[in-house]
Amino acid sequence: MPVAAAPALLDALGALSDQTRCRMLLVLERRELTVGELADVLQLPQSTVSRHLKVLADTGWVGSRRDGTSRFYSFDTSAGPLETVWALARDQVADRPGAAQDHRRLKSVLARRAARSQTFFASSASHWDRLREELFGHDFFLQGLLALADDRWTVGDLGCGTGIVSTALAPFVSRVIAVDASDEMLAAARGRLGDAANVELRTGVLESLPIESASLDAATMMLVLHHVPDPAAALAEAHRALAPGGRLLIIDMLPHDREEYRQQMGHVWLGFSAEQIARLMEGAGFEGTRVHTLPADPASRGPSLFVATGRRG
Protein backbone atom coordinates (compact mmCIF):
# COMPACT_ATOMS: atom_id res chain seq x y z
CA MET A 1 0.00 0.00 0.00
CA PRO A 2 1.42 3.45 -0.89
CA VAL A 3 2.56 5.41 2.17
CA ALA A 4 0.38 8.39 1.18
CA ALA A 5 -2.75 6.23 1.43
CA ALA A 6 -2.06 5.10 5.01
CA PRO A 7 -3.31 8.22 6.84
CA ALA A 8 -6.58 8.23 4.82
CA LEU A 9 -7.18 4.58 5.63
CA LEU A 10 -6.41 5.11 9.29
CA ASP A 11 -8.82 8.06 9.40
CA ALA A 12 -11.53 5.93 7.79
CA LEU A 13 -10.96 3.15 10.30
CA GLY A 14 -10.96 5.66 13.14
CA ALA A 15 -14.39 6.91 12.06
CA LEU A 16 -15.82 3.48 12.92
CA SER A 17 -14.58 3.67 16.50
CA ASP A 18 -17.76 5.56 17.44
CA GLN A 19 -20.87 3.44 17.92
CA THR A 20 -23.20 6.21 16.73
CA ARG A 21 -21.39 6.54 13.44
CA CYS A 22 -21.64 2.78 12.91
CA ARG A 23 -25.39 2.96 13.54
CA MET A 24 -25.62 5.77 11.01
CA LEU A 25 -23.86 3.73 8.36
CA LEU A 26 -26.10 0.76 9.00
CA VAL A 27 -29.16 2.94 8.46
CA LEU A 28 -27.76 4.84 5.47
CA GLU A 29 -26.78 1.59 3.81
CA ARG A 30 -30.50 0.80 3.60
CA ARG A 31 -31.89 4.21 2.58
CA GLU A 32 -30.67 7.70 1.81
CA LEU A 33 -31.96 10.19 4.39
CA THR A 34 -31.85 13.85 5.29
CA VAL A 35 -30.24 15.04 8.52
CA GLY A 36 -33.67 15.49 10.07
CA GLU A 37 -34.83 12.01 9.07
CA LEU A 38 -31.61 10.44 10.34
CA ALA A 39 -32.02 12.32 13.64
CA ASP A 40 -35.54 10.88 13.97
CA VAL A 41 -34.28 7.34 13.33
CA LEU A 42 -31.39 7.60 15.79
CA GLN A 43 -33.29 9.80 18.26
CA LEU A 44 -30.44 12.29 18.41
CA PRO A 45 -30.28 16.10 18.01
CA GLN A 46 -29.75 17.24 14.44
CA SER A 47 -26.57 19.05 15.48
CA THR A 48 -25.11 15.76 16.74
CA VAL A 49 -26.11 13.96 13.57
CA SER A 50 -24.55 16.70 11.42
CA ARG A 51 -21.29 16.51 13.34
CA HIS A 52 -21.01 12.75 12.89
CA LEU A 53 -22.02 12.97 9.21
CA LYS A 54 -19.18 15.41 8.59
CA VAL A 55 -16.68 12.92 10.02
CA LEU A 56 -18.11 10.13 7.87
CA ALA A 57 -18.13 12.31 4.77
CA ASP A 58 -14.58 13.53 5.34
CA THR A 59 -13.32 9.96 5.68
CA GLY A 60 -15.13 8.64 2.59
CA TRP A 61 -17.90 6.62 4.21
CA VAL A 62 -20.91 8.64 3.06
CA GLY A 63 -21.87 10.73 0.07
CA SER A 64 -24.62 13.28 -0.39
CA ARG A 65 -26.76 14.84 -3.07
CA ARG A 66 -28.93 17.92 -3.14
CA ASP A 67 -32.62 17.65 -4.01
CA GLY A 68 -34.13 21.13 -4.09
CA THR A 69 -33.54 22.65 -0.66
CA SER A 70 -32.87 19.25 0.95
CA ARG A 71 -29.65 17.25 1.12
CA PHE A 72 -29.77 13.46 1.21
CA TYR A 73 -26.99 11.32 2.66
CA SER A 74 -26.24 7.72 1.74
CA PHE A 75 -23.64 5.04 2.35
CA ASP A 76 -20.91 5.49 -0.27
CA THR A 77 -20.93 2.19 -2.15
CA SER A 78 -17.85 3.30 -4.10
CA ALA A 79 -15.73 3.02 -0.97
CA GLY A 80 -13.67 0.21 -2.56
CA PRO A 81 -11.38 -1.47 0.01
CA LEU A 82 -13.41 0.09 2.83
CA GLU A 83 -16.33 -2.20 1.93
CA THR A 84 -14.36 -5.17 3.28
CA VAL A 85 -13.76 -3.29 6.52
CA TRP A 86 -17.42 -2.33 6.74
CA ALA A 87 -18.55 -5.92 6.19
CA LEU A 88 -16.69 -6.86 9.38
CA ALA A 89 -17.94 -3.86 11.33
CA ARG A 90 -21.54 -4.36 10.16
CA ASP A 91 -21.64 -7.82 11.71
CA GLN A 92 -20.73 -6.30 15.05
CA VAL A 93 -23.33 -3.51 14.87
CA ALA A 94 -26.25 -5.32 13.26
CA ASP A 95 -26.66 -7.79 16.14
CA ARG A 96 -27.13 -5.12 18.80
CA PRO A 97 -30.63 -4.28 20.09
CA GLY A 98 -30.27 -0.64 19.09
CA ALA A 99 -29.91 -1.64 15.42
CA ALA A 100 -33.31 -3.35 15.41
CA GLN A 101 -34.89 -0.26 16.98
CA ASP A 102 -33.23 1.96 14.39
CA HIS A 103 -34.63 -0.26 11.65
CA ARG A 104 -38.18 0.00 13.05
CA ARG A 105 -37.91 3.78 13.32
CA LEU A 106 -36.55 3.90 9.75
CA LYS A 107 -39.74 2.23 8.56
CA SER A 108 -41.76 4.88 10.40
CA VAL A 109 -39.77 7.70 8.80
CA LEU A 110 -40.30 6.23 5.33
CA ALA A 111 -44.00 5.75 6.09
CA ARG A 112 -44.27 9.46 6.95
CA ARG A 113 -42.69 10.28 3.60
CA ALA A 114 -45.36 8.19 1.86
CA ALA A 115 -48.11 9.74 3.99
CA ARG A 116 -47.08 13.26 2.94
CA SER A 117 -47.33 12.25 -0.69
CA GLN A 118 -50.68 10.52 -0.17
CA THR A 119 -52.05 13.55 1.66
CA PHE A 120 -51.08 15.75 -1.28
CA PHE A 121 -52.83 13.50 -3.81
CA ALA A 122 -55.91 13.14 -1.61
CA SER A 123 -56.31 16.90 -1.58
CA SER A 124 -55.29 17.42 -5.23
CA ALA A 125 -57.18 14.68 -7.07
CA SER A 126 -59.92 17.01 -8.29
CA HIS A 127 -57.47 19.35 -10.02
CA TRP A 128 -54.46 17.07 -10.52
CA ASP A 129 -54.84 16.82 -14.32
CA ARG A 130 -54.89 20.61 -14.65
CA LEU A 131 -51.93 21.03 -12.32
CA ARG A 132 -49.88 18.41 -14.16
CA GLU A 133 -50.71 19.94 -17.53
CA GLU A 134 -49.65 23.39 -16.30
CA LEU A 135 -46.30 21.95 -15.19
CA PHE A 136 -45.53 19.53 -18.01
CA GLY A 137 -47.94 20.08 -20.90
CA HIS A 138 -50.76 17.81 -22.02
CA ASP A 139 -48.90 15.22 -24.14
CA PHE A 140 -45.62 14.56 -22.30
CA PHE A 141 -46.69 11.00 -21.48
CA LEU A 142 -47.48 10.24 -25.12
CA GLN A 143 -43.96 11.25 -26.10
CA GLY A 144 -42.55 9.16 -23.28
CA LEU A 145 -44.56 6.11 -24.33
CA LEU A 146 -42.43 5.93 -27.49
CA ALA A 147 -39.71 4.48 -25.29
CA LEU A 148 -41.76 1.26 -25.26
CA ALA A 149 -40.63 0.71 -28.86
CA ASP A 150 -37.91 -1.91 -29.26
CA ASP A 151 -34.54 -0.26 -29.85
CA ARG A 152 -33.74 -2.96 -32.44
CA TRP A 153 -36.70 -2.07 -34.66
CA THR A 154 -36.69 -0.72 -38.19
CA VAL A 155 -39.82 1.42 -38.55
CA GLY A 156 -41.40 2.73 -41.74
CA ASP A 157 -42.88 6.23 -41.59
CA LEU A 158 -45.13 5.87 -44.64
CA GLY A 159 -46.26 9.21 -45.99
CA CYS A 160 -43.82 10.98 -43.67
CA GLY A 161 -44.64 14.54 -44.77
CA THR A 162 -42.41 16.99 -42.92
CA GLY A 163 -40.93 14.28 -40.70
CA ILE A 164 -42.67 14.94 -37.39
CA VAL A 165 -43.25 11.22 -36.71
CA SER A 166 -39.76 10.22 -37.83
CA THR A 167 -38.28 12.85 -35.52
CA ALA A 168 -40.26 11.47 -32.58
CA LEU A 169 -39.36 7.83 -33.33
CA ALA A 170 -35.68 8.23 -34.15
CA PRO A 171 -34.32 8.38 -30.57
CA PHE A 172 -36.05 5.13 -29.62
CA VAL A 173 -35.55 2.71 -32.53
CA SER A 174 -32.64 1.40 -34.55
CA ARG A 175 -33.69 2.79 -37.94
CA VAL A 176 -36.49 4.79 -39.55
CA ILE A 177 -37.27 4.62 -43.27
CA ALA A 178 -39.35 7.67 -44.13
CA VAL A 179 -41.20 7.66 -47.47
CA ASP A 180 -43.07 10.47 -49.20
CA ALA A 181 -44.00 11.28 -52.79
CA SER A 182 -43.29 15.01 -52.42
CA ASP A 183 -39.71 16.23 -52.76
CA GLU A 184 -40.73 19.44 -51.00
CA MET A 185 -42.07 17.51 -48.01
CA LEU A 186 -38.90 15.42 -47.86
CA ALA A 187 -36.77 18.58 -47.93
CA ALA A 188 -38.76 19.94 -44.97
CA ALA A 189 -38.33 16.61 -43.19
CA ARG A 190 -34.58 16.70 -43.79
CA GLY A 191 -34.42 20.14 -42.20
CA ARG A 192 -36.44 19.03 -39.21
CA LEU A 193 -34.46 15.82 -38.63
CA GLY A 194 -31.12 17.61 -38.44
CA ASP A 195 -28.39 15.17 -37.46
CA ALA A 196 -30.63 12.13 -36.89
CA ALA A 197 -28.31 9.64 -38.60
CA ASN A 198 -30.67 6.66 -38.25
CA VAL A 199 -33.42 8.12 -40.48
CA GLU A 200 -33.33 7.41 -44.22
CA LEU A 201 -35.56 9.53 -46.49
CA ARG A 202 -36.87 7.91 -49.67
CA THR A 203 -39.04 9.24 -52.49
CA GLY A 204 -41.97 7.02 -53.37
CA VAL A 205 -45.72 6.46 -53.34
CA LEU A 206 -47.48 4.30 -50.79
CA GLU A 207 -48.98 2.04 -53.48
CA SER A 208 -45.44 1.04 -54.54
CA LEU A 209 -43.14 1.46 -51.57
CA PRO A 210 -39.38 1.74 -52.16
CA ILE A 211 -38.83 -0.68 -49.26
CA GLU A 212 -37.66 -4.29 -49.35
CA SER A 213 -40.16 -7.01 -48.48
CA ALA A 214 -40.33 -8.13 -44.82
CA SER A 215 -37.78 -5.49 -43.77
CA LEU A 216 -39.88 -3.45 -41.31
CA ASP A 217 -40.70 -4.32 -37.72
CA ALA A 218 -43.42 -1.66 -37.57
CA ALA A 219 -44.92 1.01 -39.80
CA THR A 220 -47.05 4.11 -39.40
CA MET A 221 -49.47 5.96 -41.66
CA MET A 222 -50.27 9.24 -39.96
CA LEU A 223 -53.06 11.27 -41.60
CA VAL A 224 -52.00 10.10 -45.02
CA LEU A 225 -54.41 7.35 -46.16
CA HIS A 226 -57.13 9.85 -47.11
CA HIS A 227 -54.67 11.30 -49.66
CA VAL A 228 -54.03 7.93 -51.33
CA PRO A 229 -55.99 7.14 -54.53
CA ASP A 230 -55.92 3.39 -53.81
CA PRO A 231 -55.93 2.70 -50.03
CA ALA A 232 -56.23 -1.05 -50.55
CA ALA A 233 -53.01 -1.10 -52.59
CA ALA A 234 -51.21 1.06 -50.01
CA LEU A 235 -52.21 -1.29 -47.20
CA ALA A 236 -51.14 -4.32 -49.22
CA GLU A 237 -47.74 -2.69 -49.77
CA ALA A 238 -47.39 -1.97 -46.06
CA HIS A 239 -48.20 -5.63 -45.37
CA ARG A 240 -45.53 -6.72 -47.87
CA ALA A 241 -42.87 -4.46 -46.31
CA LEU A 242 -43.54 -5.70 -42.78
CA ALA A 243 -41.78 -8.74 -41.37
CA PRO A 244 -43.97 -11.51 -39.92
CA GLY A 245 -45.35 -10.24 -36.63
CA GLY A 246 -44.75 -6.63 -37.66
CA ARG A 247 -47.45 -4.08 -36.84
CA LEU A 248 -49.06 -1.27 -38.80
CA LEU A 249 -50.46 1.78 -37.00
CA ILE A 250 -52.82 4.13 -38.83
CA ILE A 251 -54.24 7.42 -37.62
CA ASP A 252 -56.77 9.06 -39.90
CA MET A 253 -60.13 10.80 -40.04
CA LEU A 254 -63.53 9.32 -39.42
CA PRO A 255 -66.18 10.08 -42.10
CA HIS A 256 -67.07 13.78 -42.39
CA ASP A 257 -68.86 16.12 -44.80
CA ARG A 258 -66.22 18.79 -45.32
CA GLU A 259 -66.20 18.65 -49.10
CA GLU A 260 -63.94 21.72 -49.27
CA TYR A 261 -61.02 19.59 -48.08
CA ARG A 262 -60.84 18.04 -51.54
CA GLN A 263 -59.94 21.38 -53.12
CA GLN A 264 -58.16 23.06 -50.23
CA MET A 265 -56.06 20.16 -48.94
CA GLY A 266 -55.93 17.57 -51.69
CA HIS A 267 -58.03 14.99 -49.88
CA VAL A 268 -59.17 12.07 -52.03
CA TRP A 269 -61.37 10.50 -49.34
CA LEU A 270 -63.59 12.16 -46.74
CA GLY A 271 -62.54 9.83 -43.93
CA PHE A 272 -63.05 6.14 -43.22
CA SER A 273 -65.50 4.37 -40.96
CA ALA A 274 -64.28 1.77 -38.46
CA GLU A 275 -65.94 -0.97 -40.50
CA GLN A 276 -64.37 0.29 -43.73
CA ILE A 277 -60.82 0.52 -42.39
CA ALA A 278 -61.10 -2.89 -40.71
CA ARG A 279 -62.30 -4.41 -43.98
CA LEU A 280 -59.46 -2.80 -45.94
CA MET A 281 -56.81 -3.97 -43.47
CA GLU A 282 -58.15 -7.52 -43.34
CA GLY A 283 -58.32 -7.55 -47.12
CA ALA A 284 -54.61 -6.62 -47.20
CA GLY A 285 -53.82 -9.60 -44.98
CA PHE A 286 -53.57 -8.00 -41.55
CA GLU A 287 -54.59 -9.95 -38.46
CA GLY A 288 -55.81 -8.78 -35.08
CA THR A 289 -57.17 -5.52 -36.51
CA ARG A 290 -58.40 -3.03 -33.94
CA VAL A 291 -59.99 0.40 -34.53
CA HIS A 292 -60.46 2.92 -31.77
CA THR A 293 -61.89 6.45 -31.88
CA LEU A 294 -59.50 9.01 -30.40
CA PRO A 295 -60.78 11.62 -27.93
CA ALA A 296 -61.26 15.01 -29.52
CA ASP A 297 -58.85 17.81 -28.65
CA PRO A 298 -61.01 20.79 -27.55
CA ALA A 299 -58.58 23.15 -29.26
CA SER A 300 -58.74 21.39 -32.65
CA ARG A 301 -61.07 22.26 -35.52
CA GLY A 302 -60.72 19.16 -37.68
CA PRO A 303 -62.85 16.02 -37.94
CA SER A 304 -62.66 13.26 -35.35
CA LEU A 305 -59.80 10.81 -35.66
CA PHE A 306 -59.36 7.06 -35.21
CA VAL A 307 -56.36 4.84 -34.57
CA ALA A 308 -56.21 1.43 -36.25
CA THR A 309 -53.65 -1.32 -35.72
CA GLY A 310 -53.04 -4.67 -37.37
CA ARG A 311 -50.38 -7.36 -37.42
CA ARG A 312 -48.80 -9.26 -40.29
CA GLY A 313 -49.18 -12.96 -39.56
Side-chain angles (χ1 to χ4, degrees), residues 18-291:
D18 187 280
Q19 178 69 21
T20 298
R21 290 196 282 270
C22 289
R23 287 172 60 199
M24 282 185 175
L25 289 178
L26 193 62
V27 173
L28 293 175
E29 188 180 34
R30 292 173 174 142
R31 288 287 190 279
E32 63 173 5
L33 300 169
T34 65
V35 171
E37 289 173 332
L38 193 53
D40 288 343
V41 171
L42 300 174
Q43 293 190 323
L44 292 171
Q46 290 194 24
S47 57
T48 301
V49 170
S50 295
R51 184 173 70 253
H52 285 300
L53 279 174
K54 185 176 188 311
V55 174
L56 291 171
D58 289 345
T59 52
W61 287 108
V62 302
S64 67
R65 68 176 182 88
R66 183 165 290 284
D67 186 90
T69 58
S70 300
R71 182 171 290 278
F72 286 83
Y73 292 84
S74 60
F75 184 84
D76 189 350
T77 55
S78 64
L82 295 183
E83 290 188 15
T84 303
V85 176
W86 171 242
L88 297 173
R90 184 202 294 117
D91 291 339
Q92 300 297 315
V93 180
D95 291 337
R96 300 193 177 184
Q101 294 175 19
D102 290 343
H103 185 52
R104 286 192 291 271
R105 285 191 291 266
L106 173 61
K107 287 200 228 181
S108 296
V109 166
L110 297 177
R112 287 202 297 273
R113 272 192 198 172
R116 285 195 296 270
S117 179
Q118 290 166 2
T119 298
F120 166 76
F121 284 112
S123 63
S124 303
S126 62
H127 57 276
W128 170 240
D129 288 345
R130 177 181 56 78
L131 175 62
R132 188 171 61 175
E133 184 171 329
E134 288 175 357
L135 291 174
F136 308 112
H138 67 277
D139 61 352
F140 70 93
F141 64 95
L142 296 176
Q143 298 173 36
L145 284 173
L146 288 171
L148 288 172
D150 194 314
D151 60 5
R152 298 167 295 182
W153 279 359
T154 296
V155 180
D157 182 6
L158 311 182
C160 66
T162 59
I164 189 169
V165 173
S166 294
T167 302
L169 284 169
F172 302 105
V173 299
S174 175
R175 183 185 182 204
V176 178
I177 300 175
V179 178
D180 203 277
S182 167
D183 290 336
E184 291 77 12
M185 286 287 190
L186 290 172
R190 191 171 293 108
R192 167 176 264 138
L193 287 161
D195 59 356
N198 64 334
V199 180
E200 181 181 347
L201 300 174
R202 298 183 183 179
T203 304
V205 297
L206 269 62
E207 298 96 327
S208 181
L209 289 171
I211 298 177
E212 299 78 8
S213 296
S215 61
L216 300 179
D217 299 292
T220 66
M221 291 182 178
M222 297 291 188
L223 291 176
V224 66
L225 202 59
H226 59 268
H227 286 290
V228 178
D230 190 347
L235 292 173
E237 272 292 275
H239 186 273
R240 176 192 64 78
L242 285 164
R247 297 186 68 82
L248 174 66
L249 183 150
I250 301 170
I251 292 181
D252 218 298
M253 293 178 292
L254 289 167
H256 60 88
D257 57 2
R258 303 189 189 189
E259 187 68 32
E260 67 273 15
Y261 282 12
R262 296 188 192 276
Q263 288 74 38
Q264 295 174 357
M265 303 174 67
H267 290 197
V268 178
W269 309 99
L270 298 183
F272 304 91
S273 68
E275 295 76 14
Q276 184 181 10
I277 200 70
R279 187 169 59 251
L280 284 168
M281 292 182 72
E282 289 163 6
F286 286 97
E287 300 177 355
T289 299
R290 293 184 296 172
V291 185

Side-chain angles (χ1 to χ4, degrees), residues 299-312:
S300 68
R301 297 180 298 161
S304 296
L305 301 176
F306 68 84
V307 57
T309 59
R311 178 182 63 255
R312 175 176 177 176

